Amino acid sequence: VNAEARREDAEAGYVFIRLLINQLFSAAKRRPPVASTRPFFLVIDEASRYLSGDTARILAEARKYSFYLVAGMQGLEQARLE
C-alpha cells in the first residue's frame, strides 16, 4: 500500500496504516501454530510515521504467530515510540 499522502491527507494515511497493521496482526493470531505456518513479513518504509504504542504491543506478541515486522527508517533516533 502506498500511503504517501499530500499534506492535507497525511493524518488519514497514518490512521489507515495503523489500522492495517492491527488488522494484519489480528489475522495472524487466527493462523495455526508457528510450527505449521510460513512466516509473514510486514515491511514498512518510513516506519517512524506509522509506529505507535500499539505497534510495540504487537511486536511483543507477534513472534508467537510467525508475524514479523521489517521497519525502514532514516536513523535510529526515529525509532522512539511516543
Side-chain angles (χ1 to χ4, degrees):
V1 175
N2 181 358
E4 186 174 350
R6 287 171 265 133
R7 187 172 297 268
E8 63 272 6
D9 297 333
E11 187 62 30
Y14 301 151
V15 171
F16 175 74
I17 295 299
R18 287 178 179 166
L19 274 170
L20 184 61
I21 292 168
N22 284 322
Q23 289 299 312
L24 289 170
F25 180 62
S26 292
K29 291 191 327 185
R30 292 189 298 270
R31 297 171 77 192
V34 172
S36 63
T37 44
R38 298 175 104 186
F40 180 84
F41 292 89
L42 174 62
V43 180
I44 304 175
D45 190 23
E46 298 296 337
S48 60
R49 296 179 184 176
Y50 309 110
L51 300 181
S52 67
D54 283 344
T55 311
R57 179 189 54 80
I58 287 170
L59 290 176
E61 295 183 48
R63 187 176 56 90
K64 293 186 274 187
Y65 306 105
S66 204
F67 181 76
Y68 303 96
L69 173 67
V70 178
M73 293 177 232
Q74 297 296 320
L76 289 176
E77 64 277 356
Q78 293 179 323
R80 291 192 178 93
L81 295 177
E82 298 174 5

